[in-house]
Amino acid sequence: MMDTKALRQKILDLAIHGKLVPQDPNDEPASVLLERIKAEKERLIKEGKIKRSKKSAKTSDTPHYENVPFEVPSSWVWCRLDDIVSFQGGYAYKSNTYVNQSDWQVIRIGNVKNDNLILDIQPVFVEDVIGKTTEKYLLKKDDILFTMTGTKGKRDYFYTAKVPSIKKNLLLNQRVGCLRCFSSEINIDFLCLVLKGEYVLDAIFSTETGNVSQGNIGSESTLNLNIAIPPLTEQHRIVVETVSYTHLT
């Protein structure tokens, strides 16, 4: 009998392969959605609100996704993660600036577990003056956090968690990455599912660097991940179906 963890992974794999819910021919194709997202990204770059990644600057405007991991339904489209999110790295807050309590909590690797941002794990804070001078690293609701450092060869990182709606000011520490969607046409919960897929984990850990014991993954490797996107309405259906299955396991 399949155990709970294996069953959840099977459901997840079906979801991101386009096999969990039926396709609706009335859905707008994801290729049209992606063009709108790319146009929005260019507008935001032009306005200086987000930066173009190093990888984007090196590639053409119409990249080819020839080495995709698997076939997807015709209404889906392959893209790079960089097409739909911006990346924010963390700040190296110094431990000698930590205080017992303030309105500014620093989010470290230990706070990010798969699917959960746990604020009460050895919480650390900085004074208001430091928080206000590093507001660039302030997290927003629905940001996706991921851990960038762990044990070499163990796959005990690249844990992802969505930032919930909270009243605290949360600041991003180094070696925790932040992915921020700049379009409402991507369902954040669907993207969180994709980032836990086996093919994504295989791809990202194939880029692992580091020394004998410590493994690292970089922002460029993360943004270069191939992601299959369904129509927006199907993204919603997949999330609902996945949640209902998960509650049964």
Side-chain angles (χ1 to χ4, degrees):
M1 185 176 176
M2 190 180 293
D3 63 33
T4 300
K5 185 178 178 181
L7 181 56
R8 287 183 176 178
Q9 192 62 49
K10 178 66 175 175
I11 292 164
L12 176 60
D13 286 341
L14 289 171
I16 63 181
H17 281 70
K19 297 177 180 178
L20 186 65
V21 300
Q23 279 71 53
D24 185 339
N26 296 314
D27 288 345
E28 179 187 69
S31 56
V32 180
L33 174 152
L34 183 60
E35 288 308 310
R36 284 201 300 272
I37 292 173
K38 286 183 175 181
E40 174 69 2
K41 179 182 179 181
E42 288 304 312
R43 183 184 70 80
L44 292 170
I45 289 172
K46 195 171 289 186
E47 292 177 1
K49 292 180 179 176
I50 62 173
K51 291 183 178 179
R52 192 182 305 280
S53 70
K54 293 176 184 176
K55 191 72 179 178
S56 286
K58 296 175 188 174
T59 57
S60 67
D61 291 335
T62 53
H64 298 286
Y65 306 102
E66 293 159 352
N67 301 315
V68 294
F70 49 83
E71 292 296 315
V72 292
S74 59
S75 57
W76 290 40
V77 67
W78 283 99
C79 67
R80 285 190 302 113
L81 188 57
D82 185 44
D83 293 328
I84 58 175
V85 301
S86 60
F87 170 82
Q88 173 69 61
Y91 181 75
Y93 291 96
K94 293 181 171 57
S95 58
N96 63 4
T97 66
Y98 294 160
V99 294
N100 290 332
Q101 191 63 253
S102 81
D103 291 331
W104 304 83
Q105 181 170 354
V106 177
I107 298 303
R108 303 183 293 173
I109 283 180
N111 300 113
V112 182
K113 305 298 181 185
N114 251 345
D115 284 329
N116 287 302
L117 178 60
I118 307 176
L119 299 181
D120 57 0
I121 292 182
Q122 297 180 328
V124 298
F125 305 87
V126 291
E127 292 179 343
D128 286 5
V129 64
I130 294 175
K132 288 174 181 175
T133 54
T134 57
E135 281 189 315
K136 172 186 175 182
Y137 303 95
L138 192 62
L139 295 172
K140 298 179 180 180
K141 180 179 181 294
D142 288 343
D143 283 346
I144 299 175
L145 305 183
F146 67 101
T147 52
M148 302 175 72
T149 296
T151 310
K152 187 78 174 286
K154 294 285 189 182
R155 293 197 178 197
D156 59 358
Y157 62 112
F158 201 69
Y159 294 149
T160 53
K162 183 177 76 169
V163 176
S165 178
I166 47 177
K167 294 179 180 177
K168 291 183 180 179
N169 296 313
L170 303 180
L171 296 164
L172 191 66
N173 199 30
Q174 62 182 347
R175 304 312 297 161
V176 181
C178 171
L179 302 175
R180 183 171 292 164
C181 277
F182 40 78
S183 169
S184 60
E185 299 198 74
I186 295 293
N187 183 302
I188 302 298
D189 294 308
F190 173 78
L191 188 53
C192 287
L193 291 176
V194 173
L195 293 174
K196 292 174 175 59
E198 282 296 323
Y199 86 91
V200 167
L201 297 179
D202 288 345
I204 197 64
F205 281 108
S206 72
T207 70
E208 183 179 48
T209 59
N211 55 31
V212 176
S213 58
Q214 180 176 297
N216 301 301
I217 50 179
S219 59
E220 195 168 304
S221 301
T222 304
L223 291 171
N224 202 37
L225 286 167
N226 283 323
I227 301 293
I229 299 294
L232 182 57
T233 49
E234 188 174 345
Q235 293 177 41
H236 295 321
R237 293 198 300 272
I238 288 170
V239 169
V240 170
E241 195 75 4
T242 304
V243 169
S244 66
Y245 272 116
T246 303
H247 286 163
L248 293 173
T249 59

